[in-house]
Amino acid sequence: MEFTEWIRGRTDAQLRALVSARPELITPVPAHLEGLASRAGSPSAIGRVLDRLDRFTLAVVETLAVQRKPPTKAALRRLLAKALAEGEAGPALETALERLRELALVYGPDSAIALAPGVCKVLDDPAGLGPPVAEVFRHHPPEQLEDMADEIAPGTTGTGKERLAAALAEPAQLIAEVSPEARTALDQLAWGPPTGRVPNARREVRVESARSPIEQLLARGLLAATGEESVTLPREVALYLRDGRVHRDLHAVPPALDGSTRDMKLADRTAAGQAFTFVRLVEELCERWSIDPPGVLRTGGLGVRDMKRASADLDVPEWVAALVVEVTHAAGLVAAGGTVDGEWLPTTGYDLWRVRATADRWVSLAATWLQMDRVPGLVGERDDRDRPLNALHTDLRRSAAPAVRAAALGVLTSAPGLAPTRDSVLDRLAWEQPRRRGPLRERLTEFTLREAEQVGITGLGALSVHGRALLEGGAAAVALEPLLPEPVDHVLLQADLTAVAPGPLTSDLNRWMTLAADVESKGGATVYRFSEGSIRRALDAGQGAEEMLAMLERHSATPVPQALSYLVADVARRHGRIRVGTASAYIRCDDPALLDQITADRRSAQLRLRRLAPTVIASRSSRAVLVDSLRAMGYAPVAESLDGDVIISQLDSRRTEGLPPARTVSSANGLDPEVAAAAVRALRAGDAAHLARREPVAAPGGQIPRGPATATINALQEAIRQGVRVWIGYLDSQGNATSRILEPARMEGGYLTAYDETRAAVHRFALHRITGVAGLS
């Protein structure tokens, strides 16, 4: 049975499973099932699907690839049983064959299981076996092969290559003739890799003159020279040395996970607490960058100093700060904007995100982390050209990152309540994805396990209930909500101008406390300290003294200390007495004595002040410089507009426009079911039209239709009247004769307009180039 016919015989459900598991086959949708079969056999498509196979299923493919003809299921089971380290091959083989047929990698009945076209070409050295004899000796001169065959297989008939292949199919006698050293060299190559390097490998050596172990093997064809300094062990010889086994120590089931068993209730609460913390870290980062945004490097990204400052502000290690920054950016909450040089500012999307419930906010951040192709763990390292890898730089993109995160967390999904060790996770992934192994993937796996704990998907190393719901597409927010710590709406004010938050504050109270006080320490309870500078910061943002005291009374479980009331009142009394405007800039104050004090101060000399009136001083400095300088001198000025109104510094309102984060919508099988169903319907319809094409009536020997011009015009007019298809001969612009199957629509101005089935499009054809017309049977 041909592969295309096998594809055509699959049911709609089987075709939907195929295109869901291999969505690249319908991007775009082929015109018919023959095109689908052709695309499924392309090297790129086969390479992608082989990368998704586990160790045992890939071993089944490799075993089929090294067989001379399609084996029966029973024969395949016996071959795999020889390689199994433990257990039986039967159940695992049934599952593997079902999976391979679903993926269209094998086809045919159980009596002759065949690999799909193109699979053998993609597999390089399957199971560590080299090419067969016919291929490994293909570049040797025929006369050299004849001489080798005469020496090792005298009296046989056929070409030199055929006689050599027959002799090496049963190489026991030839192997027995070589020295123990030569046999040791064979054993080293038997289980792969099948190639080695030796000097002068291409020199011709005869059996009687061979001295070294390698010469003995080359002379008998047990090794083949494939280059000036390279040799390859033929597949037939390797299989004999392996005693007929294709693999060694094959496991039909994945290796068991090692680790510590966790109390799931404790693990879920731990993960929920970390999820809450991660959301607050993102919120705190955005609030701080609203007030004092870091600049964008000329090469893009965030500077090293700004990264260190973010780490200090958030009171977390730098790798955690890098994770927070990267996820915040990937979620569309911060973006480059602001000045000409650029600043990293919160986006308008942050304001929408901030007002959502905490569980919903966490789901958006965790889903972003799972899907983003950026690797925060690389921040601080150096690239191939010894340049530092900065946060938010394009060099942090790795296309494999989302797949590795999904695979690593998938391992945790299979072991509920277990916190597996790093090595056991790597071993499991090596079994599940043997073709995707490498140093980068191992590092990405380590980053995934570390970051999943920080984001709150895992707790104490075990997958949490809300993490599992997120991975499986369930209601993660619903699972997380009851586990989150209950926010408190009050603080404990103390006489030493500090406030203690006995738990996580509500979002609004947290923002207000961050504005009006400085965080002194974090931990089980957050300690805030009020100071003149923090009170002035709140006043600059538009807060009034009475409003601040009312806020404190409303959200304090203890009376407002007298010292704090005096501090607020004192700062508010002095706040705004001095007004700074534009002259270049000016200072005005209703108290001339206060202006006398300013002009007499030595520190004001650099401001180049000039008294214009008892209550006004002009300066050549800008308004911003004047405000900052006067505050440094101990005064509390405010800026005013040209109309004399106070300018309120909205420290938390700086925003930039940012694109929403990209989202990938797919089903658990890799493709939306409706898309898969629509693709199959289109394939069936296109295939039916493809098969409905009938052979032309007048096509003896496949010749192109030819006839008189008058008969051609009449035949075309009749086809237009009846609405039928015709087969025409046509000369292209180079004068080459071609044939087309058309559905004529109209003739005018010396041209025929028709739907060209050959090219699936409407075209115009010059009538004088049509050589003839034939009907379709």
Side-chain angles (χ1 to χ4, degrees), residues 19 22-30 36 39 48 671 675 679 683:
V19 299
R22 301 176 65 180
E24 63 273 7
L25 298 184
I26 56 170
T27 310
V29 178
L36 179 70
R39 191 175 296 175
R48 286 185 179 183
L671 190 70
V675 175
L683 284 167

Side-chain angles (χ1 to χ4, degrees), residues 125-144:
D125 299 337
L129 293 167
V133 171
E135 184 178 347
V136 80
F137 283 103
R138 70 182 184 276
H139 296 305
H140 286 60
E143 56 273 13
Q144 183 181 355

